[in-house]
Amino acid sequence: MPAQPLRIVLAEDSALVREGIVELLHRFGHEVVRAVGDADALITAVRECSPDIVVTDVRMPPGHGDDGLRATTQLRRSDPDLPVLVLSQYVANAYAKELFTPSRTPHRQSRAGLGYLLKDRIGELSEFAQAVERVAAGAMVIDPQVVQHMLMERDRRHQSQLLSAREQEVLGLMAHGYSNAMVRDALNISDGAVAKHIGNIFAKLGLSPDDGNRRVLAVLAYLRDE
């Protein structure tokens, strides 16, 4: 059971998938306060329920395009502190970049959690539940498969690599929401080595200590087209 059960609004147009996610989240001790099937209902549910986190599919009615993603963008414009976890059936780099790119005209920097996962991740029950909890707690989570795909695309476009192989490993774990301690344990290296690698990543990507959530900014700066 989680230390703090979450109140969740879920948006998914497939009734079968929606009910499965509701059951899964209940199993891990959370409450789905509203489960809806379209983007308009998502906006209404969030405004009426004030959830701890929104979990939504990208593609859903009424337009059957990226309506879920656009709805979360609208919601976060009015409430920058709203954590959002977006689910996608396919690897779509544009969705990840749009979700994590800060608005050019925010009234203040949002520090709320954001996540982008492939729907296949739902089948890994504990991992999915942990991702929901990390995003609700303010972490940034990007599906490792999405990061890998984006890195492969970037490698094809650029002959030289800005980051070392180890720094790319660290960056991939950061994208999945790993803390410094989790990176240390995953790679079996010292705390000092983790700090050094992350410092090198920030320096090579030109991120200063004033740049809000530097971990997700590092991921985006490296993956974004130059």
Side-chain angles (χ1 to χ4, degrees):
M1 298 293 290
Q4 180 65 47
L6 299 171
R7 299 176 68 258
I8 301 168
V9 165
L10 170 66
E12 163 60 54
D13 62 330
S14 166
L16 182 62
V17 175
R18 186 167 64 245
E19 291 306 313
I21 296 176
V22 169
E23 177 62 28
L24 169 61
L25 292 170
H26 283 172
R27 184 186 306 180
F28 282 88
H30 303 302
E31 178 187 5
V32 178
V33 294
R34 192 79 61 84
V36 301
D38 64 76
D40 293 338
L42 168 60
I43 292 173
T44 300
V46 171
R47 290 174 176 169
E48 292 179 351
C49 299
S50 299
D52 297 314
I53 183 174
V54 169
V55 179
T56 180
D57 191 7
V58 170
R59 300 178 66 85
M60 64 174 58
H64 297 281
D66 60 347
D67 296 66
L69 182 61
R70 288 190 283 111
T72 61
T73 300
Q74 179 179 336
L75 288 166
R76 281 173 62 91
R77 276 200 298 265
S78 58
D79 182 7
D81 293 327
L82 177 67
V84 171
L85 175 59
V86 172
L87 305 174
S88 178
Q89 185 70 42
Y90 309 104
V91 175
N93 298 354
Y95 292 157
K97 292 177 182 178
E98 181 176 347
L99 178 66
F100 286 97
T101 299
S103 169
R104 294 183 180 276
T105 58
H107 69 279
R108 62 183 172 84
Q109 178 68 41
S110 172
R111 296 185 181 276
L114 278 175
Y116 179 81
L117 293 180
L118 298 181
K119 283 189 175 180
D120 288 348
R121 200 66 56 189
I122 298 172
E124 301 173 14
L125 307 185
S126 296
E127 185 174 343
F128 175 69
Q130 289 169 10
V132 172
E133 292 163 9
R134 289 204 301 271
V135 171
M140 303 290 176
V141 175
I142 307 177
D143 195 290
Q145 290 186 42
V146 176
V147 174
Q148 182 180 30
H149 187 267
M150 296 170 81
L151 283 170
M152 289 174 63
E153 280 199 351
R154 188 184 190 281
D155 289 349
R156 286 193 293 268
R157 291 192 300 268
H158 303 278
Q159 295 299 316
S160 61
Q161 291 298 305
L162 182 62
L163 303 182
S164 71
R166 176 62 88 181
E167 288 163 356
Q168 289 186 46
E169 285 185 288
V170 172
L171 181 61
L173 294 174
M174 290 165 58
H176 198 42
Y178 278 42
S179 66
N180 284 25
M182 294 167 71
V183 172
R184 175 200 65 204
D185 294 341
L187 298 180
N188 194 28
I189 57 179
S190 68
D191 289 323
V194 173
K196 179 180 178 180
H197 290 312
I198 292 177
N200 288 342
I201 290 169
F202 291 156
K204 289 180 179 181
L205 298 179
L207 297 173
S208 74
D210 298 327
D211 286 327
N213 194 315
R214 290 192 296 171
R215 299 176 86 86
V216 74
L217 289 174
V219 174
L220 291 172
Y222 187 57
L223 299 179
R224 191 176 296 125
D225 292 343
E226 296 181 349

